[in-house]
Amino acid sequence: EEDNCLEVPAYGSNTLKTDDGHFQIFHAPGHSHDMTVVYDAERKTLFSADMYLSTRQRLMRRDEHFRVALETLRRIVELDVEMLLCGHRPVFEKGAEKLEKKLVFMETLQSSILDASESGTLSKKELDTIIGSEDLGFRLLSLGNVSRANLVKSLLGDVKARADVVRTVGSKWANYDFE
């Protein structure tokens, strides 16, 4: 049986030609170690998986990697995107503008948290000012897996790979070490 998987190198891209068009496939880690996005330059459409949920990302899962997601977004924002198709919240116009706003928000958030953390532990009041108030219901619903605290830990480099992912893909990839 033929294997129809398209290999995409770490932090790289590959192309796929079909009867429906010419697509560029990008490895886009951050939300997960293996996330990929698909770009159709002819239609200026990005199938963004979970890269874009909103312009203001204030929560992360325990195993998400803020800095890797930021680097991925920096690469993807260079594409000419009009339509941004995410499974959660598709944007049918001005996709590039939405991606750029998210990039600015994430860079500002990173800078603010790194600056505030230099003085020691971040207080709830500081986090409320920098990120916004915690969505306690969402944190409880996810049993603590999705939270503002996880975003801060990730941003500060404290990301814990899930054991099942380590078993499946190995420690290096599960910990976003692609080289």
Side-chain angles (χ1 to χ4, degrees):
E1 185 174 311
E2 185 179 335
D3 183 358
N4 290 321
C5 290
L6 178 67
E7 286 194 31
V8 179
Y11 289 119
S13 67
N14 205 333
T15 57
L16 176 67
K17 292 182 183 180
T18 72
D19 292 342
D20 294 318
H22 182 91
F23 304 94
Q24 193 164 5
I25 318 296
F26 290 91
H27 179 223
H31 177 67
S32 67
H33 69 282
D34 59 350
M35 192 169 77
T36 56
V37 299
V38 178
Y39 178 62
D40 180 349
E42 181 182 329
R43 294 174 186 92
K44 298 183 180 182
T45 300
L46 180 68
F47 300 88
S48 66
D50 282 347
M51 176 184 289
Y52 180 85
L53 300 178
S54 73
T55 54
R56 297 176 45 89
Q57 183 169 353
R58 300 180 313 128
L59 307 169
M60 282 192 147
R61 290 189 337 264
R62 283 186 192 109
D63 62 336
E64 285 186 79
H65 201 294
F66 186 95
R67 291 181 182 175
V68 173
L70 182 57
E71 183 55 39
T72 292
L73 188 55
R74 285 181 179 136
R75 286 185 303 122
I76 299 301
V77 80
E78 298 297 320
L79 300 173
D80 184 13
V81 176
E82 287 180 8
M83 201 172 343
L84 177 61
L85 300 179
C86 169
H88 298 278
R89 188 173 295 183
V91 175
F92 299 105
E93 297 177 338
K94 301 180 182 178
E97 183 179 308
K98 296 289 188 181
L99 290 171
E100 184 64 39
K101 283 182 179 180
K102 180 173 182 168
L103 177 62
V104 168
F105 176 80
M106 288 182 71
E107 288 175 336
T108 302
L109 181 63
Q110 179 181 40
S111 177
S112 298
I113 288 178
L114 291 176
D115 289 348
S117 69
E118 285 181 7
S119 62
T121 306
L122 292 164
S123 70
K124 180 185 178 317
K125 184 176 179 179
E126 286 176 302
L127 288 175
D128 286 349
T129 300
I130 296 169
I131 301 175
S133 62
E134 174 93 70
D135 183 339
L136 185 60
F138 201 75
R139 189 177 90 201
L140 292 173
L141 182 65
S142 71
L143 302 176
N145 186 41
V146 179
S147 69
R148 180 176 74 175
N150 290 337
L151 183 145
V152 173
K153 285 179 183 178
S154 177
L155 200 149
L156 297 175
D158 184 15
V159 179
K160 303 282 190 255
R162 291 182 8 213
D164 62 319
V165 174
V166 172
R167 282 192 304 275
T168 303
V169 299
S171 178
K172 286 186 153 294
W173 264 66
N175 288 296
Y176 298 85
D177 182 5
F178 302 112
E179 296 186 49

